[in-house]
Each structure stands twice: as structure tokens, then as C-alpha cells.
Amino acid sequence: MSDQVWSEPPGPHPPPAALPDGSIPLYRSAAFGEDQPPVGWGPDLGGDQHFRHGGPQPRRRPTGLLLSMLMLGGVAVFVVTVALALRESDSSAAAPEPGAGRAAPLGTPDDSKAGTPQSQAATRTVTADALYATGPQKTVGCQEAPVPLSKQANVKLYYSNVVACLSKAWAPKVQAAKDAFAPPRLVYWAGVAQTPCAAGATVSFYCGTSQTLYLKYTDDIKLWSRSPDAANRAFTRMWATYTAGHEYAHHVQQLTGILTAARQLQYDAPDEDARLELSRRLELQASCLSAVFAGANQSSYGITGLDMTIYQKYVQGQTGDENNRGGPRDHGARASHQYWTGRGFTTLDSVSCNTFTATAGKVS
């Protein structure tokens, strides 16, 4: 990815800027529908909730090494607070369904429900699904679509390309696990989405009921347009690729039954802490599976140089619930996110993403 030309202006570029009022948008939760909660992803760039960070800093125009350091520093401020908050109901586990019962989460049996056939079956699925025994993922030679994410048509092309690659990569794994494979539907949207899973969603998400990825293309355009510097553009592309991989991983969870089983366990969880832990297990697994695909296709996709730096430092290393100040701990801490995405990217194996057998400390 780093070697491709992205029509950037020549010369040094300042770090990405904050919004005009000096604030950074927070991630927001979508409302849940009557059927199945959505699993969403990404920043709400159009909302009215903001995190104050002191306003934009004065800009200078250094060159050389200092410029490079400041470019990445600018991404650190911008990326961590804008695009890496990982807030949203990005978990089928983020909130219980209406009328949810009470039973046992993993590792904390509740005598009243833990022994029920539904609970036992759900636990077996999330902890020992055949997906975990399918071995390392092989590259499908996926190449990044060489288009700037500056307009709707380009963002659609970008996502369509990477989702097609994801289908090629995950189809044989799902089938090897003795599950039927079908690619997800894609819906590109702006404004507010109305779906079987969410009423009033404001960010990209996956809906298991319709087996559809709902991708909010306007967020990618806004991220791309915030600053023309190379670090911001690299982050926007890496974030879009990562988002597609994470939402597609929820589709894999849906096809294999892991998503439904996790929702059953959360539905029966005895308290909010137990539901949130299940949410983190589900979301950290999706992030890990996204990294499996990225690692398997690192060479052909071109995740090198600045792109690799951005991926490791910000997409992997600075994503976590710490960025969602005051919000629920539903996605996992930065250290947990870095641990699981690092495992996926390095091993390329779904078994390395079995968050449901991990200790509570690994999914904090």
C-alpha cells in the first residue's frame, strides 16, 4: 500500500487537524431493534457528542526526521481519539435483547441456568467450534484498490474489492468447519440507517439477521479529507481495510454459529459485567480474525513502510476502551486489543483467536 500513489500534494504536510471547534467526535451507540442487535464499527463523525482535547495546536513546518515524527504524532492525537475509540454497539453482546433472561457467562456458572442444554451447547460452540481447527489462512493475493477515498464511488470500489478478497479467504475456512458459506450482502449508506438490527444506527456495522455489512461511506470520506498528509491518508486506508475485516469477521462468526451462541450466553448472563466480558470476547475475536486476513495478505496488499507503522502503532496498538472515556468496557483494553490482533497477524490461524477460552485478564 505504501508504494502506491495517492495524489498527495508535494512537500511536507502538517499533522491532521481537529474539528474547527477544537473537539473530537466520540463514538456513539446505535439503538437496538426488536430482532437482533447490530455489531457496529467506526467513528460517528456527524454527531453532537465531543471529547475536548484542548483545541488545535499551533502548526510549524519542520522538515526531515522531525517532520516524520510529528506526522505520526499528529496521527496519534487524531487517530486515537477520532477513529480508534471503538465505541458503538459493536457487539451483539453490547446490550441484551428485550426480555433477556439471566444465566451464566463463561467461567462463572450460575446454578440456575448453567446446566441447561442451551447454555451447554452455546458454550461448546464458542469454545470449541470447528473453525478453530481449520489451520492457518493462506494468502488469496489480495491487492488494495488504488483509489483515493475522497468520494462515494471510490469508497464503494475500495470496500467491494477488499470484501471480495475476504470472501475468497474465509469461504474455504467456513466450509472446512462443515458450515455453509454465503458471502455477506453489502449496503453503503449515509445519514442514519434503518435495518432489521438497528433503528437509527450512525456508524458502520454488521447485521446477522440480514447477513449484511452496512458500511457508512461518508465517514471514510471525512477521515480522508481531514488532512492531505501521508500519515492521515495511510491511516484512513488502513482503518477502512481493518473495519471491513472486523465486520466480515462478525459474518464468519454468524455463519459458524459463534455469534448466535455468544448472544445466547449474553442473553442469559447474570449481570452487566458478565455481558460486557462476553462482548469483549466477541469483539476481540473479530479484531483478531481481521488481523489474520491482513497478515496472510500483507505482501500482496502492500502493508509495508508507513502503512505498517500506522497499522501497528494505531490500528493495533491504540484501539481500546480507554478511548471511549466514560463509556462501557465492551470492546477490550488497548493491551488486550494489541495482544489479540498481534496473535492473528502473526500466526494467521483462527485457533489463535479463541478468545472464549482465554483468561479474563486477556480480555480485559
Side-chain angles (χ1 to χ4, degrees):
M1 289 175 12
S2 301
D3 298 330
Q4 297 179 5
V5 177
W6 297 99
S7 301
E8 297 159 358
H13 314 304
L19 290 172
D21 66 353
S23 61
I24 296 294
L26 282 176
Y27 287 65
R28 306 173 69 184
S29 295
F32 294 116
E34 292 292 326
D35 191 354
Q36 186 184 82
V39 275
W41 186 263
D44 176 7
L45 294 175
D48 55 3
Q49 298 180 3
H50 296 82
F51 164 60
R52 291 284 176 182
H53 67 96
Q57 301 298 311
R59 296 184 181 180
R60 300 181 179 180
R61 293 196 172 273
T63 58
L65 177 61
L66 180 58
L67 171 66
S68 300
M69 293 173 64
L70 286 181
M71 284 174 62
L72 291 178
V75 172
V77 174
F78 171 60
V79 168
V80 172
T81 55
V82 177
L84 301 180
L86 282 189
R87 174 76 159 88
E88 210 318 60
S89 56
D90 182 272
S91 117
S92 304
E97 295 181 33
R102 302 281 175 159
L106 296 184
T108 312
D110 175 45
D111 291 340
S112 65
K113 296 284 187 175
T116 64
Q118 294 91 337
S119 177
Q120 292 176 348
T123 299
R124 284 195 300 270
T125 297
V126 298
T127 60
D129 190 83
L131 178 70
Y132 303 134
T134 58
Q137 188 173 112
K138 297 180 180 179
T139 182
V140 292
C142 187
Q143 297 183 0
E144 185 187 30
V147 294
L149 304 182
S150 56
K151 60 183 180 180
Q152 178 180 347
N154 286 1
V155 176
K156 288 183 176 181
L157 175 61
Y158 193 92
Y159 275 125
S160 295
N161 175 72
V162 69
V163 169
C165 291
L166 285 159
S167 290
K168 291 180 181 178
W170 285 113
K173 294 300 182 184
V174 171
Q175 292 165 344
K178 306 302 181 184
D179 292 302
F181 176 82
R185 301 177 182 89
L186 295 180
V187 171
Y188 303 98
W189 60 282
V192 177
Q194 302 294 331
T195 77
C197 287
T202 57
V203 300
S204 296
F205 61 94
Y206 173 76
C207 176
T209 300
S210 59
Q211 296 193 11
T212 301
L213 274 63
Y214 292 89
L215 301 169
K216 190 177 182 183
Y217 65 87
T218 51
D219 283 350
D220 298 290
I221 295 173
K222 287 180 181 179
L223 286 173
W224 181 270
S225 302
R226 290 289 289 275
S227 175
D229 70 81
N232 178 69
R233 296 287 169 81
F235 170 74
T236 304
R237 292 166 26 242
M238 293 304 299
W239 184 255
T241 299
Y242 183 71
T243 297
H246 179 99
E247 297 307 332
Y248 201 103
H250 284 311
H251 182 59
V252 173
Q253 291 171 328
Q254 173 72 20
L255 295 176
T256 57
I258 293 173
L259 183 58
T260 302
R263 290 181 62 242
Q264 177 65 49
L265 291 172
Q266 188 205 15
Y267 181 92
D268 293 334
D271 53 41
E272 183 66 10
D273 287 343
R275 285 191 287 273
L276 287 173
E277 181 176 306
L278 283 162
S279 173
R280 294 193 298 272
R281 290 182 188 276
L282 192 68
E283 298 304 331
L284 289 168
Q285 181 176 89
S287 293
C288 181
L289 294 174
S290 176
V292 165
F293 168 81
N297 293 276
Q298 178 186 3
S299 179
S300 61
Y301 207 80
I303 306 177
T304 59
L306 178 60
D307 294 335
M308 187 61 179
T309 299
I310 293 294
Y311 183 87
Q312 290 181 323
K313 284 185 175 291
Y314 305 116
V315 176
Q316 283 190 336
Q318 293 297 326
T319 295
D321 288 334
E322 294 92 334
N323 298 327
N324 179 32
R325 298 183 183 182
R329 294 181 55 247
D330 55 0
H331 286 68
R334 291 175 185 169
S336 297
H337 189 267
Q338 187 170 30
Y339 172 77
W340 289 104
T341 53
R343 281 171 64 92
F345 194 88
T346 303
T347 68
L348 317 181
D349 200 325
S350 299
V351 73
S352 298
C353 300
N354 191 346
T355 56
F356 292 95
T357 57
T359 63
K362 292 297 185 183
V363 293
S364 63

